[in-house]
Amino acid sequence: MNVPAAAYVVLSAILFFIGIVGVIARRNPLIQLMSIELLFNSANLALVAFARTWDANVGHIFVFLVVTVAAAEAAIGLAIVAIVFRRTTFVDVDEVATLKG
Amino acid sequence: MIGFAVLALLLIASAIFTVTARKPVYSVVGLLVNFVALAATYLTLQAEFLAVIQIVVYSGAILILFVFVIALLSSGTKAFDIGPDRMPRVVWPALLFGIVGAGGIAFAAVRTVTVPVAVAGQTGQAGVFGSVADFGNALFLQNILPFEVTAFILMVAVIGVVLLAGDEIPPRRRPRRPRESISPPREPIAR
């Protein structure tokens, strides 16, 4: 039983768009970070699908790299959220504009 | 094919729930379902080691980190109460773009090859695509530099998190008195 590779790629694209909507539309920084995780995951899905399609192992190595970067990003992003919340009790990402030029 | 359809529906539904949930805790639950479904999808693509990584790293580490931060930040006053959302303004253009983009990708990729779904009993042996032995071979024998780069990235992330979220910077020792300068004091620049 075979599944067309395009199905996986389209599923990946749909998940990516959902994640982008989450990053753009939500104002809660935690939900924005989770949406970024969705973006990483959709890219991973496309990479795994292509690796399976072409029997290339390098796609799995790419996914390994992306997982590492996602872990680092989550740790640093949550640390930034925590430290900003410690200094100013913000409820909205738009209110954090200290670095605005 | 039926399994893929179920997994795809589960992935999309949990992703939408994650994005549109009212509280971050509900988002975490949706994200958990999404990660587990994605691991199952990896299994259909014969990437069993990546499925295990997906469960361990994402569901085990990153989600717990999210839960800790949510519990830490929302223990005091009402934190992260969502105000007026931008979702109603964004959702229709995003939906339009998403449908057009996915349709375009599907139209472009209609003639590509199909992916054979993993057969039970085939994975797990050495030399089979996607098995742990295969992945380790590719990682440690052919791509050792990316592996070391990941180690470097993790180290930098750990140092950054400790610097960011650690305690206050300890007070510095009193700065030394500046030495007597050898050169004479500079004349102020005439303007």
Side-chain angles (χ1 to χ4, degrees), chain B residues 114-179:
Chain B
T114 58
V115 178
V117 173
V119 184
Q122 192 182 2
T123 60
Q125 303 164 1
V128 175
F129 177 79
S131 64
V132 180
D134 193 33
F135 184 84
N137 197 4
L139 183 62
F140 291 118
L141 294 185
Q142 299 160 22
N143 299 296
I144 188 66
L145 187 61
F147 179 67
E148 292 178 351
V149 169
T150 58
F152 187 71
I153 289 172
L154 284 179
M155 189 186 70
V156 170
V158 166
I159 293 174
V161 167
V162 168
L163 277 181
L164 275 176
D167 281 338
E168 295 295 319
I169 301 174
R172 281 186 198 166
R173 276 174 278 169
R174 180 167 298 183
R176 288 182 202 159
R177 306 188 63 157
R179 289 178 187 168

Side-chain angles (χ1 to χ4, degrees), chain B residues 64-133:
Chain B
I64 295 300
L65 202 61
F66 272 107
V67 170
F68 269 140
V69 170
I70 289 169
L72 189 71
L73 293 189
S74 58
S75 61
T77 60
K78 59 160 195 165
F80 295 135
D81 195 11
I82 53 173
D85 221 344
R86 276 170 293 190
M87 190 67 87
R89 276 195 295 156
V90 174
V91 67
W92 288 110
L95 207 59
L96 186 66
F97 269 102
I99 289 173
V100 169
I105 291 174
F107 181 74
V110 141
R111 293 175 56 193
T112 54
V113 290
T114 58
V115 178
V117 173
V119 184
Q122 192 182 2
T123 60
Q125 303 164 1
V128 175
F129 177 79
S131 64
V132 180

Side-chain angles (χ1 to χ4, degrees), chain A residues 1-3 5-8 21-22 25-28 30 34 37-38 41 44 51-53 57 65 70 72 83 85, chain B residues 1 4 19 21 24 34-35 38 42 44-46 54 58 70 73 85-86 94 109 113-117 129 134 150 164:
Chain A
M1 184 176 293
N2 289 337
V3 174
Y8 284 101
V21 169
R26 296 308 297 265
R27 296 188 168 188
N28 194 320
L30 291 171
M34 288 184 227
E37 299 296 327
L38 279 180
N41 273 325
N44 278 348
R52 179 71 192 112
T53 306
N57 233 339
L65 264 173
I83 195 171
F85 186 78
Chain B
M1 195 69 196
F4 173 75
V19 167
N34 197 348
F35 288 164
L38 198 66
Y42 286 170
T44 68
L45 286 169
Q46 252 186 355
Q54 177 78 21
Y58 276 105
I70 289 169
L73 293 189
D85 221 344
R86 276 170 293 190
V113 290
T114 58
V115 178
V117 173
F129 177 79
D134 193 33
T150 58
L164 275 176

